[in-house]
Amino acid sequence: MIWHNGALREGTTIALDAGDRGLLLGDGLFETVAVFNRTPFRLADHWDRMSLAADRLGIPLDRAVLDRATSALVSGSADDHGVLRITVTRGAGPRGLAPASDMTPTVLATLAPWRPDMAFRSVALATSSIRRNSGSPLSRIKSLGYLDNVLALREALDLGADDALLLNEAGSVACSSAANVFVVSGVRLLTPPIEDGVLPGITRALVLRHAAELGLSAAETTLTPADLRSADAAFLTNSVRLLDRVRRLDASDLGERDTEIVEAVSRLIADAVRRETGFGLRPFR
Amino acid sequence: MIWHNGALREGTTIALDAGDRGLLLGDGLFETVAVFNRTPFRLADHWDRMSLAADRLGIPLDRAVLDRATSALVSGSADDHGVLRITVTRGAGPRGLAPASDMTPTVLATLAPWRPDMAFRSVALATSSIRRNSGSPLSRIKSLGYLDNVLALREALDLGADDALLLNEAGSVACSSAANVFVVSGVRLLTPPIEDGVLPGITRALVLRHAAELGLSAAETTLTPADLRSADAAFLTNSVRLLDRVRRLDASDLGERDTEIVEAVSRLIADAVRRETGFGLRPFR
C-alpha cells in the first residue's frame, strides 16, 4: 500500500505531476523509520530532522500529515515490523531551477518489510573513490539526491565489500553509503562531526546521548582512515540496520579486536527499542 | 503534452511507480535541449552526453526511444521554438540503495516554450556558499540531483544577483547554477576543465571547437575567482540561454570591459543555430 497526498492507495503507482521537482531536480527530502511492534521507533526525532531540513530548503512541512500517513500505513499493514519511508518534495512547478512561490508539497509514504537479519550485521567496508562534499548543505540533510551513495555502494559491492566508506574532500571520514561511523578507542566512542559532511543520524544521536550510561565518553571529532584502521573497534549506525560492526576496512582486518564495547552499545540500542516499542532484539547472539 | 514510456499523454500527470528510483534517490539523468524552428539544436551532442552518463550509471539507454519522444513532442507542439526536457530514471525497484538487475528505465519528456528573452542576457553573479564537488562523478554528468544548484540559485537571487558562481572544494571556479563559465583574456578564451567539477556543456564544446575561426585560442584551465574579476570579460554558456555576458561578480563590475570578443562568440553561436535550424537570433542588439 501507498500513502500519497492525503490517502491510502492500492497498487504500486501514483499519479504524479510531470513537473514535480522531486523527480526532476531531487528537490525534496525523505526519512526512513524502523517500525517495531507497529510502533515507529524514534519518530519524533525523524520528524524533527525532516522539519529542520525542510526549513533549510524552504519547503512547508505539516507534521500532522506525516503522522496521518504513518498511522494509516502502520495500521493497514499485515506485518508488525516494517521500514517506513516518507518522501516530501517541493511539488510541481514551472520549468527551471527557481521554484514558484505557491507550490504544494508532494507527500508519498510506503511501508516495506523489516526483518531481523537487516540489523546487527558484520560488514566489510571498501573506501570509495567518491568524496562526500562537506561544502554542501545536502551532506547534512536527507535530500532526495542519493546517487553518490548509490554509486559508492555499487563500487563497494563490486569489490566484494558490504558497504562503502566515504571520505570528505579533505580526506576525513564522513560516513558509509547510508550509515554513520563510530570508532572505539579505549573507553571513548568517536564519530565525525556534522561539519565534516555527515548526516545527523537518529541512532548516532542515541549513542552519543547515552554512551555515558555504559561508562563510555562519546565525542564528535574529525577522523582519518588511519584512525579507523588503528581503532580498537569500529561500527556503523543506521535507523534500519541499527548497528553494524565493521570487521574489515579495505585490506585491514578489524574483526578480532575489542568487541565488548560494540556489544554493549548494541545492547544499549536494543534496550531503547524494547523500552519504546516492546520488541526484543538480540544483537550478536 | 507529456511523453511518458512510449506514448504522448494529455494533461499534466503521469502514472509513476512509487518505487521509481528517479523520484526516491535522484537515480537518473536528464537533458535540456533548445528547439528552434522545430529542430532540436545539437541533439546528437545531447544524446552522446546522456549515453556516456548512462553508461557510467549502468542505466540502459535506447537512443531510438529518445528520438521518438522528441519527434512526437516537437511535431505535436503549437510553437516553433521550445525547451525539450528528457528525463531518464533507472526505473522502479525494491527498497534500498542497491538496484535490482532487471530494471526498466522510466523515460519522461516535456516541451516548454522558448522565448528570445531567455538567451543572450546580461547577468550579475554572486559567489555561492555552496561548493561544487569535483570528487563526485555527478559533478560531470547531468544527474537528477540538482538541489545544490537550486539552493545556489536561490541564494544568488536573494542577494539581488541573477545567477550563482559555484567554486569547487579547492576554491577554483566550476560553473554557475546551470551554465559553464568562460573568461576572455586578450585573444584567449579560458574555461575550467571537466576535472574541476564541471558539466561538459554542449554550448561550451561548440565555443571550444570553433573559437579559432574568430582568431581566438580556447583552452581549458583552472580558474580562480580573481581570474574572473581581472578578466577582460566573462560569459556563461548554456543550451537554452546560449550565452550570457557577465556584467558583475559580487562587488566587481565587469560590464564596461571588452565586449567585442563576447559579441563575436555570441554571433558564432547564433550562426551555428541559423545554419543548423534556420532560425535567426540577434544577440545583444
Side-chain angles (χ1 to χ4, degrees), chain A residues 115-129:
Chain A
R115 302 181 315 271
D117 66 359
M118 289 178 173
F120 299 118
R121 303 181 310 158
S122 166
V123 298
L125 299 183
T127 304
S128 178
S129 67

Side-chain angles (χ1 to χ4, degrees), chain A residues 14 16 24 85 135-136 148, chain B residues 14 16 24 85 131 136 148:
Chain A
I14 57 170
L16 190 75
L24 300 183
R85 162 147 177 163
S136 163
D148 267 335
Chain B
I14 57 169
L16 190 75
L24 300 182
R85 164 153 175 158
R131 293 299 179 103
S136 163
D148 267 337

